[in-house]
Amino acid sequence: MGNLHADLMAFHPEVTGSSILVSVRYPNGKRTKFGVDFGMFQEEKYTSLNKKIPFNPEELAFMLVTHSHIDHTGRLPFLVKKGFNKKIYLTKGTNLLIMPALKDSYKILREREKLFGKKEKAIYNYDDVRRTKELLEPVDFERSIQVDEHIKIMFFMNGHLFGAAMILVRISYEGEEDINLFFTGDYNDHNTFFKVDPLPKWVTRLPITIVIESTYGNMKSSDVEKIFKKNSLSALNQGKTEIAPVFSLGRAQEGLYEAKTWQSEGELSTDIPIYLAGKLVYKNTNILLRNPDIFRIKKDMRDFLPENFHYIDSNSIKTILLDKNPKLIFTSSGMGTNGPAQVFLPEYLPKKNAIIHFMGYLSENSKGYQIMNTPDGECIKFNGRMIPKNAEVYCTSEYSAHAKQDALIKLLKKFENKRMVIINHGSTQTQCDFAVEVVKQTDSKEVGIFEGKNLFRVNHWGFEKSINTHFQ
């Protein structure tokens, strides 16, 4: 016999491959294991980790998903392939978006296998994606779900992405005080398209252990310089063509709405066509347009498409490339490595009357990072071709879907009885920097950092101990 406690472990201390395992031990000796997200490692130096699962998937009682981004969901079909066959809880919005994302992920895995052979063999197949779909269990925000005899879950709104959630897990056992765990997932306190409901007071008053992301935990909101509008309008009104690589969900739609705003304010002529390229971008955009109520999109933003708007498909892309007139092209992928960006970037990068404007984070192994860090006039290799960098090239973080340090601290301060705060999902240095600020600026009783090799044991009172382990 023993006390009620939960062991929490994340398997990688970076901004990729998000995965948290929770193992609950009851006083009678029984255990319940569940996971929060199971994402794809997208950084080139970590892709070998995609083939590894440091626990037995068959032992998981259920899975929780915070949002549909592939770095949080991309390996769910691999988990299913390896024996997981229980429910996957997620919001109704994420439920609509997750299958297009997983199908696109499988397509990329298959293409890499064709390109690199056994070295890059796809870790799952389409049947694994289909079986994953059968396990999805969509739920409403702020509805208490009893997932088993001892555990209840509840999803709360999160501005990070359409359908994104923060998740409360309440663990109970007769004669013991409850353990409350709160997972922020990737977090933002606002969203252009919908109002983020505040957390109920009863939640913020719970004795609670919080697992919080730290992607931009060393940056303040005031550090962000807004340059996209100025650069875009300057280039387009000078007759230039702009290529704006975008993430297929969130960033793409925000870019389209921005362009529509410029038009309505008379800053951008409606004679300049605005294009959107990418199959997943197309699917996501139409899912949002068809389901505004599920995503709680503001009524005045439900038609976010600008005037003179066009989708680009395989039949129209050559015509557009031959058109010398100014235009704005939003294209996937956001980092320039995949999707139609592979066509547009080498086409327009050599042109002095073009502008390339990345709208988000660029990982070190991405084509966008390479372009940004190549001196003007120097060459960049695209599929064996050497392309000179003559276009203007910019990158902005103003549309980031991640909260900065001040907003993260503000969220933590809302909780009146923090028993422990565990820092997750950030670069190693950023997690350390943010942890220091959490200690300085909040009344958190304990602050820990997931390091990929340690687990934290918590109970009702909070931190019990930290254990170095390879969790099985």
Side-chain angles (χ1 to χ4, degrees), residues 143-162:
R143 178 190 167 200
S144 181
I145 307 294
Q146 190 85 43
V147 295
D148 68 15
E149 180 184 2
H150 301 291
I151 300 176
K152 292 188 290 188
I153 62 171
M154 188 175 288
F155 289 73
F156 297 92
M157 288 194 74
N158 181 344
H160 174 69
L161 188 70
F162 296 105

Side-chain angles (χ1 to χ4, degrees), residues 114-162:
K114 289 179 180 178
L115 189 62
F116 299 108
K118 291 183 179 179
K119 181 182 177 183
E120 289 284 343
K121 186 173 177 59
I123 59 174
Y124 55 80
N125 57 36
Y126 184 77
D127 187 57
D128 299 319
V129 176
R130 179 190 59 77
R131 290 192 292 131
T132 301
K133 181 180 180 181
E134 295 172 356
L135 302 176
L136 300 179
E137 187 73 17
V139 300
D140 290 316
F141 285 113
E142 297 193 32
R143 178 190 167 200
S144 181
I145 307 294
Q146 190 85 43
V147 295
D148 68 15
E149 180 184 2
H150 301 291
I151 300 176
K152 292 188 290 188
I153 62 171
M154 188 175 288
F155 289 73
F156 297 92
M157 288 194 74
N158 181 344
H160 174 69
L161 188 70
F162 296 105

Side-chain angles (χ1 to χ4, degrees), residues 389-404:
K389 177 183 174 181
N390 296 325
E392 295 178 63
V393 180
Y394 301 95
C395 183
T396 180
S397 62
E398 66 197 85
Y399 298 100
S400 174
H402 293 267
K404 308 303 184 289

